[in-house]
Amino acid sequence: MRPLIPNQRPDMPSHGLTTSSQFRAITVPAERRWRATLLATLAGALVFFIFEASKSAIFPKLTIWESHNITIAFGSMIAGGAAWFAMARQASMLRTLAAEEALRERLEIRQRALEESEWRYRQLMTHSPEAIAVHRNGRVVYANDAAAQLIGARQTGELVRRRASDFVHPDDLTLVQQRLTSGPARVQYRLVRLDGGIREVEAVSVSIAFEGTPAMQTIFRDVTERKELEARLLHGAFHDALTGLANRALFRDRLEHALQVAGRDPDHRIAVLFLDLDDFKGVNDSLGHDAGDQLLRTVSERIVAEVRSSDTVARFGGDEFAILLERLTAESEALAIVNRIKVALRRPLMLEGRLMSVATSVGVAYATASDDVDTLLRNADVAMYEAKEAGKARHAVFEPSMYAAIVQRLQLEADIRMAVNAPERSGLFLAYQPIVDLRSGAVRGLEALLRWEHPTRGTVTPSVFVPVAEHTGAIVPLGRWVLEQACMQLVAWRTQWWRERRQPDSVPSVSVNISGRQLAEDDFVDEVASILQRTGAPAGSITLEITESVIMRNTESSLRTLSALKALGLRLAIDDFGTGYSSLSYLQKFPVDVLKIDRAFVEGVAQGGSDSALARTIVTLGTTLGLRTVAEGVETSSQRDALEAMGCVDGQGYLFSPARPVDEITAWLRVQSGGMAIAV
């Protein structure tokens, strides 16, 4: 049995090299030894023959003794020289043998190291978790277990002699070949498994010597999960999670690209649509956010179905959608798409067991040469807002005048928000319009009306700033301020009347308008009670006016709130009566004291007709229910006479007095009362 190389593993291959101990046992073959001996003998005999012949010829007279002596001496010299030559030759041979032995030992050490290194390398390749394959001339000559598992082979032998290109997706083959020919490089491509599956791999190829022949070694890393995660993250970064539509970032990117194309191609017409669902908040509030999400998904599907495949539909958040229309043949094409979307959204859908339809307000903005992304988006948003203000379920095309109006409105919103913090310094004040007895002309009450003398705009009418205050929510703190100021003024009048030795109770009652937002506040009743307590105003001299439509918006909640206000001792009035949709059954339940006939019915009351009939009906209804009726907007004597004839008790309007500031109305009250005001 051949001994192992030192440190050699039992399973490590060996090439059967000769060791140094084996080398030392090697001797010169016997045939060579005899041949050398014979040659040496013949050479010696020849030398002695030549010597003897030469000696006899040169020294013929020598005696035998002298001849023998000379021969012995010459033989000794020859023997000594031969011995010296033999020893020198032997020493040279020994040095050569020693050098050869040292060289052989070095070669053996290197060979052992090479064999062990190759063994370790093969073990590393075989058991490496990375997929490794070696290919030569385009065919696989080696693959480890990880490579077989990645490619879907049961054994590594199934891959040997297969073409390496068989495992590369055809669309990526050119890329892989280019990278391989350019030297060591890292490349990502799609690997085709034996079962036809596709895996994303990252590969690095280097040139090596395999089994003594040049080859290419490729190390593969499966990056499929990483690529899928990257794709999901990329999709999430540019798409809406709920609907799968493009988000604002992706929409802006595509719009910017479209504008660049339009800048080079005048025929590339672009339009942006802004859509906002009407009354979507009511769906979330009544059916819940899950139902709202379902509705948004349905809306997105219907919108996508009505646009062209080249168009981009995005969800900006909430119930806001945007659509980018490119390569329009005419502006009418965009409007046709708008109409299709509106019709599609109106189709009934089942939501939480309820059949309902959706309406949307749409703003349309066509791109011009000077528009950038922000300008075009702003224009579409302004047009959408204009459509919503026009009554919802409509669409509007942007015009420059719209932007000017919206800028003014935004500035007004900002001014109102600032005015809430310091109403009096901002020019807000209360004016009071009398409510008089139609028959006697006596003052029955005063309605507190909010007025605004803007520091820079001048007079801003209530029809302009009140809707803005409602929209922004500023009406809630403003309404609280109005009520508190009216209560304080009522107390101030009563105090002044007392100082002037008048009857404090003769001061007319004060009416204050309450907005729908105020009425919806959970702590509204507590706030009213707190204001009454702080100001000391008598609750019976305060009338709160709430419009009919606000009361009927949420009848059960309104009934609870009105009952709580009534319990405080306040008087309640339904303002603008006749313009809403009150039912008689609810009107009987509401604890109201006054019905105010809207001015729209008062205008034509003197001419008869439908307005007169409606006014008469309201007066009759009030009389039947035991409610006092007040006609608003009385401007002529004929209107007053007609209302008085119908049985209307009180009136309010320019015929009697416009709304006046505190100082003017105080002086007016003194004149009208003649020293004695009449209390309600």
Side-chain angles (χ1 to χ4, degrees):
M1 179 177 177
R2 186 181 63 211
L4 289 173
I5 299 173
N7 299 324
Q8 182 184 19
R9 299 178 184 274
D11 56 342
M12 196 175 82
S14 174
H15 295 286
L17 295 178
T18 305
T19 64
S20 58
S21 60
Q22 292 172 321
F23 179 78
R24 284 192 292 270
I26 297 176
T27 58
V28 179
E31 182 180 351
R32 291 183 61 189
R33 293 199 304 272
W34 285 107
R35 188 186 308 147
T37 303
L38 178 61
L39 289 176
T41 303
L42 291 175
L46 180 60
V47 169
F48 271 97
F49 176 76
I50 295 173
F51 172 75
E52 288 296 331
S54 300
K55 183 180 69 172
S56 298
I58 297 172
F59 304 106
K61 297 181 179 182
L62 291 176
T63 62
I64 294 174
W65 178 249
E66 291 175 339
S67 176
H68 285 321
N69 287 337
I70 292 172
T71 300
I72 291 170
F74 180 76
S76 298
M77 292 174 61
I78 292 298
W84 178 85
F85 178 78
M87 287 187 294
R89 181 63 183 272
Q90 185 180 19
S92 175
M93 290 179 63
L94 289 175
R95 286 194 299 270
T96 302
L97 289 175
E100 290 180 356
E101 183 177 359
L103 178 61
R104 285 178 180 271
E105 287 182 350
R106 289 196 299 270
L107 291 176
E108 289 174 5
I109 292 173
R110 292 181 180 178
Q111 184 66 29
R112 286 198 303 270
L114 181 62
E115 288 180 352
E116 186 170 357
S117 175
E118 183 177 350
W119 177 82
R120 289 175 178 172
Y121 179 70
R122 281 184 173 272
Q123 291 295 312
L124 180 63
M125 291 178 61
T126 301
H127 301 292
S128 172
E130 302 284 358
I132 302 174
V134 179
H135 45 96
R136 182 188 298 119
N137 298 326
R139 293 190 177 272
V140 178
V141 295
Y142 171 81
N144 66 354
D145 295 339
Q149 182 179 1
L150 175 63
I151 297 176
R154 291 187 298 273
Q155 298 178 350
T156 59
E158 298 180 31
L159 307 179
V160 177
R161 292 185 295 277
R162 293 284 299 268
R163 290 188 303 176
S165 59
D166 292 345
F167 306 110
V168 181
H169 194 280
D171 295 341
D172 299 338
L173 187 58
T174 302
L175 172 65
V176 174
Q177 291 174 343
Q178 289 175 347
R179 293 292 182 89
L180 289 179
T181 56
S182 62
R186 186 183 302 272
V187 60
Q188 289 187 7
Y189 63 90
R190 287 166 291 179
L191 181 141
V192 182
R193 290 167 48 91
L194 293 177
D195 58 7
I198 303 295
R199 305 294 292 179
E200 291 277 351
V201 297
E202 184 179 75
V204 178
S205 297
V206 294
S207 298
I208 64 168
F210 184 78
E211 296 180 348
T213 307
M216 293 293 294
Q217 174 184 281
T218 301
I219 301 177
F220 306 89
R221 177 172 296 172
D222 189 349
V223 295
T224 304
E225 293 182 359
R226 190 188 76 189
K227 298 290 287 186
E228 291 175 351
L229 177 60
E230 290 176 354
R232 289 197 299 271
L233 293 176
L234 184 63
H235 186 275
F238 292 103
H239 290 80
D240 175 55
L242 177 64
T243 63
L245 299 176
N247 62 7
R248 186 186 295 269
L250 180 57
F251 188 87
R252 288 179 60 90
D253 181 73
R254 292 187 178 177
L255 178 56
E256 183 175 5
H257 179 266
L259 288 173
Q260 292 174 354
V261 174
R264 299 188 298 266
D265 182 6
D267 294 331
H268 191 87
R269 298 182 179 179
I270 299 172
V272 171
L273 311 183
F274 245 58
L275 293 80
D276 187 89
L277 303 185
D278 296 332
D279 302 320
F280 175 73
K281 184 177 183 298
V283 176
N284 276 339
D285 293 343
S286 59
L287 301 181
H289 289 279
D290 289 341
D293 291 346
Q294 181 183 343
L295 176 61
L296 291 174
R297 285 190 290 267
T298 303
V299 166
S300 65
E301 292 170 359
R302 292 188 178 184
I303 292 175
V304 170
E306 299 303 328
V307 300
R308 304 165 303 174
S309 58
S310 60
D311 300 329
T312 300
V313 181
R315 177 175 175 243
F316 278 14
D319 59 340
E320 291 184 349
F321 296 84
I323 304 173
L324 171 60
L325 306 178
E326 298 186 64
R327 301 191 181 279
L328 295 171
T329 57
E331 293 184 354
S332 58
E333 187 176 0
L335 298 181
I337 293 175
V338 170
N339 290 326
R340 290 205 304 268
I341 291 174
K342 290 165 66 177
V343 171
L345 295 183
R346 279 199 299 267
R347 291 201 306 268
L349 61 93
M350 188 64 68
L351 195 65
E352 295 293 325
R354 300 184 184 183
L355 196 63
M356 60 183 301
S357 61
V358 182
T360 181
S361 299
V362 185
V364 183
Y366 298 103
T368 63
S370 60
D371 286 341
D372 57 14
V373 172
D374 291 326
T375 301
L376 194 54
L377 289 175
R378 181 203 66 195
N379 294 346
D381 192 19
V382 169
M384 184 275 295
Y385 185 84
E386 188 74 14
K388 194 172 285 289
E389 287 294 306
K392 302 181 180 179
R394 300 171 183 268
H395 70 270
V397 179
F398 174 77
E399 296 178 1
S401 59
M402 294 180 181
Y403 180 64
I406 200 68
V407 168
Q408 292 181 0
R409 183 182 182 90
L410 291 174
Q411 184 59 52
L412 186 60
E413 289 181 1
D415 291 346
I416 288 178
R417 290 190 179 95
M418 293 181 62
V420 167
N421 298 323
E424 294 176 344
R425 289 202 303 268
S426 300
L428 290 169
F429 64 94
L430 295 185
Y432 295 85
Q433 186 174 34
I435 301 172
V436 303
D437 187 295
L438 292 178
R439 181 169 299 177
S440 65
V443 180
R444 294 291 185 180
L446 298 168
E447 181 178 0
L449 300 170
L450 184 61
R451 295 293 185 261
W452 194 6
E453 194 66 29
H454 195 279
T456 58
R457 296 171 182 265
T459 301
V460 183
T461 62
S463 61
V464 172
F465 74 81
V466 170
V468 177
E470 288 273 6
H471 176 73
T472 60
I475 195 67
V476 174
L478 279 178
R480 186 186 310 119
W481 179 79
V482 169
L483 178 59
E484 188 164 3
Q485 290 296 308
C487 289
M488 291 171 61
Q489 185 58 53
L490 175 63
V491 173
W493 277 327
R494 292 172 66 90
T495 302
Q496 186 175 354
W497 256 232
W498 178 80
R499 288 174 179 172
E500 295 177 1
R501 299 184 181 278
R502 299 168 182 255
Q503 287 293 332
D505 293 339
S506 66
V507 175
S509 65
V510 175
S511 300
V512 178
N513 290 283
I514 300 300
S515 73
R517 286 210 174 196
Q518 285 180 274
L519 198 67
E521 292 288 312
D522 294 336
D523 59 348
F524 176 65
V525 176
D526 294 335
E527 282 189 353
V528 172
S530 176
I531 290 173
L532 292 175
Q533 183 178 7
R534 287 200 309 271
T535 61
S541 295
I542 300 294
T543 302
L544 301 184
E545 297 186 6
I546 305 103
T547 59
E548 180 185 9
S549 57
V550 168
I551 293 177
M552 295 303 296
R553 192 175 300 164
N554 191 337
T555 54
E556 296 300 330
S557 176
S558 298
L559 180 59
R560 289 193 298 270
T561 303
L562 294 179
S563 298
L565 292 172
K566 189 66 177 177
L568 295 177
L570 297 164
R571 302 180 68 207
L572 302 176
I574 297 181
D575 198 9
D576 299 335
F577 190 80
T579 60
Y581 41 87
S582 297
S583 66
L584 185 59
S585 59
Y586 273 108
L587 189 59
Q588 289 176 314
K589 294 180 181 179
F590 289 141
V592 296
D593 305 285
V594 179
L595 293 182
K596 299 191 73 173
I597 306 172
D598 188 77
R599 65 179 65 246
F601 305 125
V602 174
E603 288 179 358
V605 74
Q607 286 77 33
S610 59
D611 286 346
S612 178
L614 286 171
R616 187 183 302 275
T617 301
I618 295 173
V619 171
T620 303
L621 179 61
T623 302
T624 303
L625 297 176
L627 305 177
R628 199 175 189 92
T629 53
V630 178
E632 296 182 295
V634 180
E635 298 181 354
T636 65
S637 299
S638 58
Q639 291 174 341
R640 179 192 60 189
D641 296 340
L643 289 166
E644 183 182 351
M646 292 177 187
C648 183
V649 179
D650 297 327
Q652 177 182 356
Y654 279 90
L655 177 63
F656 311 110
S657 173
R660 301 171 185 267
V662 172
D663 293 342
E664 293 183 17
I665 198 65
T666 302
W668 185 88
L669 284 175
R670 284 198 179 96
V671 172
Q672 294 297 316
S673 65
M676 193 65 163
I678 302 175
V680 177

